[in-house]
Amino acid sequence: MEILWVLVAAVLLSFVLLPFLRRRRGGIEQVPAGHPDAADPADYGFVRQEELDIRMPGPDQDLLDVLDLVQRTQDYKAASQLLSGTEREGERRWQRVQAFAGAASLELQQRPGGVSEAPGGQWLRVWRTEQPKDAGGAAVHAEFLVQQAWRTSTPGTDEFRIIMEEAKAACGQAALLAPGDPVPYIVELSVARGLAYSQSEFEQLWLKILDRAPNHMGAHLAALHYWCEKWHGSRELAYSFAEAAAARAPRGSLLAAMPLFAVFEHLPEVNLVSGFYRSEVVTKAIHGALHAVHSARADDPMLAHVRHLLVFFLVRGERWAEAMSQLVHIDGHVGALPWTLSADPAAEFAIYRALAVAGYEANGGSPATLTQ
């Protein structure tokens, strides 16, 4: 079976997927979207595109319930309680801090406020005013400033630097309120990238994180951005960082998937080599990620992140059955790389999902044969 990937501009990494070709009884037949014989993702119980949740990579019902309550009542107390009850060294606390900060930032963007209207995200300002020593609120505020800098200004401008300097100060305040919490330092990793810390400065910051949470996957992903070619490192430095993390990963850790993220960060904008996604470097990274997924705890908050990226690479490599095995675990949520790089994450995910289903069925698969 052959798949024709036609390169055009301005979608995910400059790729757009054209009509899928599949082999039937020795011949090649084009199956356009909407054709009665086209594979249907609904046959596998997959969520309709318009119902895909773009907010998170996977389920966290406690977070969703609290977010809904906070945004509906504009009362921060439920958010404060949730964070105070969330393990400091774990991945979930970092994800929840990001989610609260993102919600406040998006509210402010949608409702900047005016003479007769309070600005969006007012609950975060009240939180900081009423509970200045709340470590959770301080961390959310620091991350909020970081997201505001990236969302509202351009790196290198005075406005961007001013907001980032404020975020840096907020990180310091948050760290003082919770000395053993790695989250304020993880937030500062994005500040380090934006303010172009020297490599020695960045490494000093990184050591503070390793002292507190040496196997924190979210921290490693945030640090990887700094070492990438498009920021303050190179392909070689990024690969070296990712491979070192994978090499020291304890059993059951998702750090073994780090090389796949490094490969993704350095994908060529235009790829004219048909076998690139089956090359040795990509295949090795995929195998490392698959191993990490298979050995990780089922409730690891970062597991969905790795599965989403695996779907991208497995579909590109035409490894349909393996892609389907990942899809059954993550379908319904698309708030993760690579989909979030698209203007329409749900649509981007749906394209890859449809290709996986079509490729799986073209090679004899069916809902009855799919195993998780």
Side-chain angles (χ1 to χ4, degrees):
M1 180 188 71
E2 289 183 67
I3 302 292
L4 297 182
W5 298 100
V6 181
L7 301 175
V8 296
V11 181
L12 179 63
L13 301 173
S14 302
F15 290 101
V16 169
L17 309 176
L18 287 189
F20 182 74
L21 301 182
R22 73 176 187 179
R23 183 184 304 276
R24 177 181 291 177
R25 299 193 183 201
I28 298 294
E29 176 183 323
Q30 183 171 341
V31 184
H35 189 281
D37 292 335
D40 186 357
D43 293 341
Y44 295 82
F46 291 148
V47 174
R48 295 168 58 185
Q49 178 180 326
E50 58 270 27
E51 296 174 352
L52 291 168
D53 190 329
I54 65 173
R55 295 171 295 179
M56 298 188 301
D60 184 346
Q61 195 58 49
D62 289 341
L63 173 60
L64 288 179
D65 290 344
V66 169
L67 269 174
D68 177 67
L69 179 63
V70 169
Q71 294 187 304
R72 184 162 35 84
T73 65
Q74 291 295 294
D75 187 336
Y76 68 87
K77 293 182 181 64
S80 176
Q81 291 171 0
L82 183 65
L83 284 182
S84 66
T86 305
E87 181 187 9
R88 285 195 306 185
E89 295 78 14
E91 304 282 353
R92 198 173 298 280
R93 180 176 176 83
W94 168 230
Q95 292 187 2
R96 288 174 172 176
V97 165
Q98 286 183 300
F100 287 129
S105 180
L106 186 58
E107 279 186 38
L108 181 59
Q109 181 182 24
Q110 294 172 340
R111 300 195 315 276
V115 176
S116 60
E117 180 187 40
Q122 185 68 21
W123 53 269
L124 178 55
R125 296 178 184 84
V126 175
W127 188 356
R128 293 298 294 131
T129 301
E130 293 186 352
Q131 300 289 338
K133 294 185 178 181
D134 186 324
V140 172
H141 179 239
E143 173 65 15
F144 167 80
L145 291 170
V146 167
Q147 294 195 27
Q148 281 295 100
W150 292 110
R151 188 189 300 272
T152 65
S153 55
T154 303
T157 63
D158 289 342
E159 180 186 8
F160 181 84
R161 176 168 288 277
I162 289 170
I163 302 175
M164 277 298 188
E165 290 287 358
E166 186 180 356
K168 181 178 180 180
C171 288
Q173 294 170 4
L176 288 174
L177 291 171
D181 188 352
V183 169
Y185 298 102
I186 300 174
V187 176
E188 192 179 347
L189 291 174
S190 187
V191 175
R193 179 162 53 97
L195 293 181
Y197 282 22
S198 68
Q199 291 189 1
S200 62
E201 290 175 317
F202 186 87
E203 287 169 349
Q204 290 174 17
L205 171 61
W206 183 239
L207 286 175
K208 294 177 182 178
I209 295 171
L210 292 183
D211 285 343
R212 291 161 175 80
N215 301 315
H216 199 290
M217 180 71 171
H220 279 79
L221 291 177
L224 177 64
H225 289 298
Y226 176 91
W227 294 113
C228 285
E229 190 173 61
K230 59 188 174 185
W231 286 105
H232 308 297
S234 65
R235 180 190 301 266
E236 292 72 26
L237 285 171
Y239 278 27
S240 176
F241 175 80
E243 289 165 1
R248 67 171 183 271
R251 182 176 179 79
S253 169
L254 287 167
L255 289 177
M258 283 297 299
L260 189 65
F261 286 87
V263 170
F264 178 77
E265 292 293 339
H266 293 86
L267 287 176
E269 290 189 4
V270 177
N271 173 36
L272 299 177
V273 181
S274 61
F276 173 79
Y277 289 91
R278 299 178 192 148
S279 64
E280 181 178 356
V281 65
V282 174
T283 299
K284 182 179 177 181
I286 289 175
H287 286 170
L290 287 171
H291 171 74
V293 164
H294 291 152
S295 60
R297 300 189 331 267
D299 63 347
D300 191 315
M302 295 301 295
L303 185 55
H305 286 272
V306 180
R307 291 191 188 278
H308 279 287
L309 197 62
L310 272 169
V311 168
F312 172 86
F313 278 98
L314 292 170
V315 169
R316 286 287 186 176
E318 300 180 18
R319 296 167 64 165
W320 313 117
E322 291 169 293
M324 291 293 288
S325 293
Q326 301 305 317
L327 281 168
V328 297
H329 290 286
I330 59 172
D331 189 73
H333 297 83
V334 295
L337 287 175
W339 327 121
T340 50
L341 296 180
S342 168
D344 190 342
E348 195 69 29
F349 174 82
I351 289 173
Y352 278 78
R353 185 178 64 181
L355 283 169
V357 170
Y360 181 65
E361 293 191 353
N363 284 273
S366 71
T369 62
L370 181 61
T371 57
Q372 299 185 14

